[in-house]
Amino acid sequence: MNILVTGGLGYIGSHTCVALLEAGYNVIVADNLCNSKEETKNRINQITGKELTFYQLEVTSDYAVEEIFNQHEIDGIIHFAGLKAVGESVEKPLVYYYNNIVSTMVLARACQKYGVKRFVFSSSATVYGDNKAPFIEDMKLLPTTNPYGETKAMCERILTDIAKAYPVFSVALLRYFNPVGAHESGLIGEAPNGIPNNLMPYVTQVAKGKLEKLRVFGNDYPTIDGTGVRDYIHVLDLAEGHVAALNNLKEGAHVYNLGTGQGTSVLKLVKAFEEANGIKIPYEIAARRPGDIASCYADASKAERELGWTATRNIVAMCRDAWNFEKTYRKHGENTKKVLMLF
Ligand code: NAD
Ligand code: UDP
């Protein structure tokens, strides 16, 4: 079966390509490389011993996307391609609305034109806004605090309406919680540009000595130790969740939380990282980060019930694999300039 994976060389997409290839799917990736490197394709092939097909193209272009459909019989699409930096979306809303929404519409239109019935979409727990955790799929969504979150909520609505009007269309809207970690080989992982915004990549860079200390944003939340609580999920579990979603698609649009159902505070994550890797993470308490909520974790029971999927890797494995990738990545960076350029 041929699966078109947009954004397939990015962080979550690359791990999902590995899971798809290992599950026996043929994988065709479309990525414009705006936040990834072509070298990742070789690494996916190296991990799996299989070959994916890669097109460097712009998913917001009908013309470019149709080239793929003219070359391949596509059976399903997993749409990861998107811009995801919350702060940047506030500064450049038009870029975010255009990229994330137009790409979704272009792909949905190609599905209608070429009779593709299977569609899996990358949504986010951010669509729950300021609801009270645990988040459940049928909660009324509250406004998000940024354009990025709005693009996810809008794409969910667009795909839901299309599935209503075009009943054979089977859509899974996957709301991810906080993906962290990396493939255990250390060959693929998350390598953000500049100073990371997210907690785990920040922690690994402190461990590496590249950043001096972690700033913990707020210790006065109504949580177990006052610091923010999130549902961290190993990216390999998340990748397997996509294969489960694809294998269990049914007519209409269906929403699934992909999380572990466990909340972990910032200080607990720091402690888990220290214990897993034997490295001290210096930190200081800083002011709350604007827009942050206290607690965000999933009720993950629907995915277990309907997709037969549940996350199996714990926080220690997440911390170990995140650090393993950072170490491997640093080693490559130190060894050759050429490899450094690849990230
Ligand atoms: P990523 O930036 O690593 O991957 C996205 C990929 O899409 C990149 O390879 C980028 O080059 C590509 N891309 C972006 N716009 C494109 C376009 N117009 N045409 C072709 N390629 C394009 O991000 P990720 O963390 O792997 O996230 C994947 C998806 O999951 C995104 O839609 C993101 O919004 C969503 N998501 C991510 C998280 C997270 O914490 N990482 C959480 C919830 C949802
Ligand atoms: N966080 C922090 N210091 C950092 C980055 C994040 O204390 O340098 C906290 C943040 O306030 C939140 C948690 O870590 O409570 C997870 O933040 P992240 O940005 O990774 O995910 P998100 O808030 O988008 O779910």
Side-chain angles (χ1 to χ4, degrees):
M1 202 182 266
N2 291 334
I3 305 301
L4 172 60
V5 183
T6 74
L9 298 190
Y11 174 46
I12 306 170
S14 57
H15 292 83
T16 303
C17 287
V18 168
L20 287 167
L21 289 164
E22 285 175 344
Y25 287 99
N26 295 323
V27 173
I28 295 132
V29 167
D31 198 305
N32 66 4
L33 303 181
C34 72
N35 198 33
S36 52
K37 299 285 182 239
E38 194 170 349
E39 166 63 11
T40 300
K41 177 191 76 171
N42 302 332
R43 293 175 177 222
I44 296 168
N45 293 345
Q46 191 182 335
I47 290 168
T48 58
K50 297 182 179 175
E51 288 270 328
L52 60 75
T53 306
F54 172 57
Y55 290 88
Q56 181 175 350
L57 60 76
E58 184 46 66
V59 179
T60 53
S61 158
D62 278 308
Y63 174 80
V65 165
E66 288 197 16
E67 284 289 296
I68 296 186
F69 285 81
N70 291 332
Q71 299 283 328
H72 305 269
E73 185 90 23
I74 299 296
D75 298 295
I77 297 180
I78 305 184
H79 179 32
F80 291 106
L83 299 175
K84 62 168 183 176
V86 169
E88 189 183 51
S89 79
V90 177
E91 287 156 27
K92 301 176 185 166
L94 183 56
V95 173
Y96 272 68
Y97 283 113
Y98 188 85
N99 194 68
N100 292 0
I101 293 173
V102 173
S103 61
T104 303
M105 293 201 293
V106 162
L107 291 165
R109 193 148 63 178
C111 285
Q112 290 196 321
K113 183 166 173 185
Y114 293 88
V116 177
K117 297 180 192 135
R118 300 179 183 85
F119 199 97
V120 176
F121 177 69
S122 296
S123 189
S124 166
T126 193
V127 299
Y128 288 108
D130 211 0
N131 269 298
K132 189 169 159 22
F135 297 152
I136 306 176
E137 286 87 346
D138 57 11
M139 269 177 168
K140 190 170 161 38
L141 300 186
L142 296 178
T144 64
T145 53
N146 57 77
Y148 165 71
E150 290 304 305
T151 69
K152 293 296 174 191
M154 285 179 193
C155 287
E156 284 198 8
R157 285 204 292 277
I158 291 168
L159 291 166
T160 302
D161 286 345
I162 296 171
K164 268 188 209 149
Y166 173 49
V168 291
F169 201 36
S170 301
V171 183
L173 304 168
L174 304 182
R175 293 181 181 158
Y176 312 152
F177 282 70
N178 288 56
V180 295
H183 191 267
E184 59 267 11
S185 64
L187 286 170
I188 54 173
E190 186 178 25
N193 293 325
I195 296 180
N197 289 313
N198 295 116
L199 181 61
M200 185 67 94
Y202 202 102
V203 166
T204 59
Q205 295 208 9
V206 172
K208 194 172 168 179
K210 205 173 162 200
L211 296 168
E212 193 196 336
K213 59 183 157 190
L214 172 70
R215 286 185 311 139
V216 175
F217 297 141
N219 67 348
D220 56 353
Y221 286 108
T223 60
I224 181 168
D225 56 20
T227 64
V229 164
R230 298 290 182 273
D231 185 341
Y232 299 96
I233 173 168
H234 198 296
V235 67
L236 290 175
D237 279 325
L238 191 58
E240 288 162 10
H242 288 75
V243 178
L246 197 60
N247 289 341
N248 291 283
L249 279 170
K250 53 187 182 192
E251 288 184 3
H254 302 273
V255 182
Y256 298 99
N257 286 338
L258 295 186
T260 64
Q262 302 289 322
T264 303
S265 72
V266 176
L267 292 181
K268 284 230 153 120
L269 184 132
V270 168
K271 193 156 181 281
F273 188 94
E274 292 180 336
E275 285 175 6
N277 299 309
I279 300 171
K280 197 92 195 121
I281 302 296
Y283 69 84
E284 66 182 13
I285 305 296
R288 288 183 180 194
R289 184 171 63 178
D292 270 1
I293 58 172
S295 289
C296 169
Y297 55 94
D299 177 318
S301 58
K302 185 178 175 194
E304 183 171 9
R305 231 174 21 250
E306 295 189 14
L307 306 179
W309 170 90
T310 175
T312 59
R313 295 161 179 90
N314 63 18
I315 198 85
V316 173
M318 298 180 213
C319 292
R320 186 197 58 216
D321 292 340
W323 175 234
N324 182 44
F325 173 68
E326 190 65 55
K327 277 191 303 190
T328 313
Y329 165 52
R330 176 171 56 161
K331 199 164 74 203
H332 288 148
E334 283 169 357
N335 283 350
T336 76
K337 212 170 173 185
K338 189 153 172 269
V339 177
L340 183 67
M341 300 281 294
L342 297 172
F343 289 88

